[in-house]
Amino acid sequence: MRRGVNLGNALEAPYEGAWGVVLKEEYFRLIREAGFDTVRIPIRWSAHAQASPPYAIDERFFRRVDWAIDQALRHGLVVVINIHHYDELMSDPEGHRPRFLALWEQIARRYADRPPTLLFELLNEPHARLTAPVWNKLAIEALQILRRTNPTRWVIVGPADWNHVRSLPSLELPAEDRAILVTFHYYEPFQFTHQGASWVSGSTAWLGTRWEGREEEKRAIAQDLDYAVHWARAQNRPLFLGEFGAYSRADLASRVRWTAFVARQAEARGIPWCYWEFCSGFGIYDPRAQRWREELLLALIPPP
C-alpha cells in the first residue's frame, strides 16, 4: 500500500446510486492504470442488515460487495472494506453494540479465505457518543471476533473524534495484536477543505478560502504529520492516511497545491495514503466526461 483512492459515495450511500455514484468495472481498471495500488471501499452495512437478531446482512448486498472486492483484486489492487456511516451506533453505542459485532462476525466469516490484500477497517470516524473509552472497548471486542476467522489479516483501526490526527493518543489497542494498521484522516485547514460543503453547517461563509502554500501553511501540515509519526513510533504501529481531500467548491489551483503537498509530506514520512475520493464532490475523475481531472491526478501521482 502506497497510493490509494476512496471509491466514495457509492456503497456507503443509503443505497448505491443515491448519491450519484454506481461502481463500474472500468473504474478499477482506470485506477490501477493511473498508478494507484489501493482502493478503499466505504460500505453502509447497517442499511442492508436486519434490525433485530441475528442481524443478517442481505445476501444480494453481500454479493454486490463480493463483486467490488473481486474487481479490485482482479486488477491487482489492495482493497480496504469498512463499516461506514453507521450513524445509529454513534448516537447509541450500547444499543447497537450487538448489531455492530454481528455485522463483523458475518463479514469476517464470509471473507476469511480471501487473500491478504483484502483489509478490514473496523469503523469510519467514530464520534458523538462513541467516545474514546467506549470506542476502545468496542474495537477490542470486534477485533476478538475478527481474529476467530481471520487470525492474521491486517485490520485498520482509527481513533475516536472522527479519526482526527490529534486524537491518536486516545486510541488503545491490544498489545499482542501486531497486524493492526492505525488510520487517521486529514482535512486541515477544515475551513479550506470543506468550504461550501452542504453537510457542514456554516461552511458557505468559508467560500473563497485559498491555500497558497505559504511557509506557515506548510508548517501546520508538517507538524500534524510529525505528530502522527511521533505517536506511531512510540507505539510501534504503522500508519495509514485513510482520507484526505479538498472539496470542489475550493478553487482548483489551491486544491492542487494542497493535495500535492499533503501527499508528498505523507510519502516522505513513509505513510501510505488514500485520497477522498474518486468521482464525486472531491473527485479526481469526471464520470460524465469520462476523463481524469488531470491537475488533481498529477498532484497525487506526479510523473516519475
Side-chain angles (χ1 to χ4, degrees), residues 2 37 70 79-81 92 108 123 148 184 209 223 264:
R2 290 179 61 243
D37 54 43
D70 289 343
V79 56
V80 176
I81 61 170
D92 183 12
L123 183 66
R148 294 173 193 164
F184 66 98
T209 304
Q223 288 174 346
R264 300 296 84 74

Side-chain angles (χ1 to χ4, degrees), residues 206-251:
W206 308 337
L207 286 169
T209 304
R210 298 176 60 83
W211 196 85
E212 301 288 358
R214 297 187 299 270
E215 284 306 310
E216 62 270 22
E217 292 175 315
K218 292 179 178 179
R219 191 180 309 115
I221 292 173
Q223 288 174 346
D224 282 339
L225 296 182
D226 285 341
Y227 183 88
V229 170
H230 179 77
W231 177 87
R233 287 176 178 167
Q235 301 294 320
N236 192 26
R237 296 285 188 184
L239 290 171
F240 173 53
L241 175 50
E243 291 184 16
F244 73 106
Y247 190 50
S248 56
R249 296 293 298 278
D251 70 282

Side-chain angles (χ1 to χ4, degrees), residues 107-170:
I107 298 164
R109 185 175 66 245
R110 189 175 186 102
Y111 299 124
D113 294 331
R114 295 300 180 106
T117 46
L118 169 65
L119 282 68
F120 297 153
E121 180 179 343
L122 289 187
L123 183 66
N124 180 71
E125 296 184 345
H127 61 277
R129 293 186 177 176
L130 201 56
T131 59
V134 178
W135 169 232
N136 288 335
K137 181 180 177 182
L138 182 58
I140 289 173
E141 289 185 276
L143 282 166
Q144 290 170 342
I145 288 172
L146 291 181
R147 292 309 182 205
R148 294 173 193 164
T149 51
N150 294 261
T152 61
R153 188 176 304 281
W154 281 92
V155 178
I156 299 172
V157 187
D161 191 27
W162 304 88
N163 292 155
H164 196 280
V165 62
R166 296 284 173 168
S167 297
L168 285 169
S170 73

Side-chain angles (χ1 to χ4, degrees), residues 20-51:
V21 180
V22 175
L23 297 182
K24 301 178 181 180
E25 180 179 357
E26 68 187 72
Y27 292 171
F28 298 88
R29 175 183 57 81
L30 288 166
I31 288 167
R32 183 61 180 173
E33 289 176 352
F36 296 97
D37 54 43
T38 302
V39 288
R40 178 174 178 259
I41 305 177
I43 304 171
R44 192 187 298 222
W45 298 96
S46 57
H48 303 277
Q50 294 172 339

Side-chain angles (χ1 to χ4, degrees), residues 43-44 74 94 172 217 253 256 258 288:
I43 304 171
R44 192 187 298 222
R74 185 172 298 131
E94 186 55 36
E172 297 176 2
E217 292 175 315
V256 168
W258 182 90
R288 292 183 179 178

